[in-house]
Each structure stands twice: as structure tokens, then as C-alpha cells.
Amino acid sequence: MPDYHDDLRLGHVLADAADAATMERFKALDLKVETKPDMTPVSEADKAAEELIRGQLQRARPRDAVLGEEFGSEGAGPRRWIIDPIDGTKNYVRGVPVWATLIALMERGEGGDRPVVGIVSAPALHRRWWAAEGLGAFTGRSLTSATRLRVSQVGRIQDASFAYSSLTGWEERGKLPSFLDLSRDCWRTRGYGDFWPYMMIAEGSVDICAEPELSLWDMAACAVVVNEAGGQFTGLDGKPGPHSGNAAASNGLLHEDLLGYLGDSAH
């Protein structure tokens, strides 16, 4: 079994540096925001945080490849760091504190690339979550001051809390009726969005969540945390891991039910 302690420690160092950079510009009156070709916003803080992480990785792990949201892919090899410098940029630029830096390490194995380390750092919420394959999932201020994460034991959709990001993507997939059915059938729905629902699943405060359109950097870190907390993270196609372009996550007990409503084979 590989030992990911060193990678986890490095991930925390990277997250510390990113937190300092992003918090310094959060709510800055002169924050520069541009629109990317896909019409989503990117701020100077997104770019600065990713450059910072890439620079530190270049020094600490020169052989590892890197994929980041803002500056694309570089390097090749069996180990690849996946970076989303600010997940929740729209929140960030509007002064909403729900955003995080996502850092994951993926490793090539027999079944393709899988995420083995994940750190989700949300400094404006004063929260950080992390996990490594085989080591469990944790939240806390630091590696030494941490609480173990466990998913909930809710076993019925009628008792479940369901988190989602928005309705438009489900409408585009032709799944809005199923989405509304699930919303009516479960106990509670809340549109927390972005990284947060996955962390709540890992903590046991939310039971199911799904998003219809995502990139690898949105999911890689979240997937490790959910899995190591005892949950399940797949695409809407039911395939494990963060490779499907969308996500379904749960406490494990409700996963088949969730895919029954929103999965690719569901009607």
C-alpha cells in the first residue's frame, strides 16, 4: 500500500499558500475579473493562486504532471496534481464566503487514473477537509488538529437531505422532472453548490448530491474525501471516480436510489 503522508503534507503547504493569496484579495474593491471563453468569470486571485501552487509543485515535485483550471496541463507521468484554484469563483467575486481551493493528486493504476489525495480548503469559512487513499478523511485546522469524517447512516430517501447546485443543467439534460420528483420525495433540499455538498456528505450532514456538468478539477479532491469518509462518488453513469463529466455522491446507502432518479439510465 503506497504511503501518501508526504503528499498530504505537501498538499497542506500548497493550500496554506493559496489561502493566503485568495484571502488577501477576497472582497477587494479593485479585484480584477475577466470573462473566459466559456462565459464563466475568472479573477486575478484564481490565476495568482494557481501560479503559486504550480511554482511550489515545480520545486517540490518536479517529475509530477499538473492540470489546473486556469493554465491547463503540463508534464507527463503516472502522478498528476489537479488544481482548481478557486472553486466557486462566482461566489468569490460577489463576496459570498462559500469558495475553496481544491488540490488533488491522481495516480495511474490498472483501471486508469484515480485520485489518491484530496485537500479542500475554504478559508473564508475557516474550514479545511482532506483525505488520502487508505488513511481516512478528516477536517480541522491542521494535520495534527483534526476530526475523522464519517458519512451518515440515513437509509431511506424519505429521510434524506439532498444538495444540488442549480436547476438549469438538469433541464438541459432533460432530467428536470426526475430532479423535481427526487426533491419532493426526500426530506430536505438545499442549493449549497460547488464543493460544499460533497464535504457535507463526508461529514454526514447531507446524504445525497448530484451535479449535471463538471470538470475533473471540480471533482478529483472531493471524490477522495467522500470515498474515504465511507461514501460513494460516481458519475451519473454509475462509474466510480471523477471522470464522467458529472457527479453523483452519497453516503453509499442511498446511491442506487439517487441514480434511480438522476442516473443516465433513469427515465
Side-chain angles (χ1 to χ4, degrees):
M1 187 85 185
D3 180 348
Y4 297 109
H5 281 99
D6 284 350
D7 297 309
L8 204 48
R9 275 194 287 272
L10 174 59
H12 277 271
V13 171
L14 300 173
D16 288 345
D19 285 357
T22 52
M23 283 304 287
E24 190 183 339
R25 300 300 292 151
F26 184 49
K27 296 192 178 178
L29 296 176
D30 60 344
L31 181 74
K32 293 186 184 66
V33 183
E34 301 162 26
T35 301
K36 290 197 280 194
D38 66 358
M39 301 313 289
T40 60
V42 58
S43 76
E44 62 185 87
D46 291 77
K47 294 178 177 177
E50 185 169 323
E51 281 174 332
L52 206 58
I53 293 169
R54 282 175 179 269
Q56 293 203 358
L57 281 172
Q58 188 61 50
R59 290 189 292 277
R61 295 283 194 278
R63 291 202 197 118
D64 292 354
V66 181
L67 169 68
E69 179 173 13
E70 306 310 336
F71 297 106
S73 187
E74 62 180 300
R79 287 163 55 93
R80 183 166 62 143
W81 294 85
I82 313 290
I83 305 158
D84 188 344
I86 299 180
D87 182 53
T89 300
K90 289 174 183 171
N91 283 345
Y92 185 88
V93 301
R94 292 295 305 271
V96 178
V98 184
W99 48 271
T101 296
L102 312 185
I103 300 166
L105 172 63
M106 296 191 75
E107 215 165 59
R108 194 159 303 145
E110 287 173 18
D113 287 4
R114 73 188 192 285
V116 292
V117 173
I119 293 114
V120 175
S121 195
L125 294 175
H126 306 289
R127 295 297 310 274
R128 186 178 291 183
W129 303 261
W130 65 89
E133 189 176 83
L135 297 178
F138 297 86
T139 184
R141 294 254 172 226
S142 66
L143 279 166
T144 50
S145 166
T147 310
R148 185 88 185 243
L149 297 174
R150 293 301 304 171
V151 295
S152 75
Q153 293 300 300
V154 172
R156 300 187 333 145
I157 282 292
Q158 298 94 307
D159 302 324
S161 181
F162 167 45
Y164 64 94
S165 280
S166 71
L167 300 182
T168 48
W170 297 109
E171 195 164 28
E172 285 159 15
R173 282 180 84 86
K175 285 272 164 62
L176 192 54
S178 310
F179 176 93
L180 294 172
D181 286 343
L182 174 56
S183 303
R184 291 185 194 104
D185 291 348
C186 66
W187 169 65
R188 191 167 193 251
T189 56
R190 284 291 181 274
Y192 299 110
D194 302 309
F195 67 93
W196 210 8
Y198 304 103
M199 299 305 100
M200 290 193 210
I201 282 178
E203 290 178 343
S205 50
V206 161
D207 311 302
I208 50 174
C209 78
E211 288 186 271
E213 193 179 357
L214 292 166
S215 299
L216 181 59
W217 49 74
D218 297 314
M219 296 185 278
C222 296
V224 195
V225 177
V226 168
N227 288 332
E228 285 294 315
Q232 209 170 337
F233 190 108
T234 71
L236 295 171
D237 53 12
K239 288 181 185 158
H243 297 288
S244 300
N246 46 52
S250 75
N251 62 4
L253 299 173
L254 295 169
H255 210 77
E256 290 305 314
D257 290 331
L258 175 60
L259 292 176
Y261 284 93
L262 298 176
D264 284 344
S265 56
H267 299 293

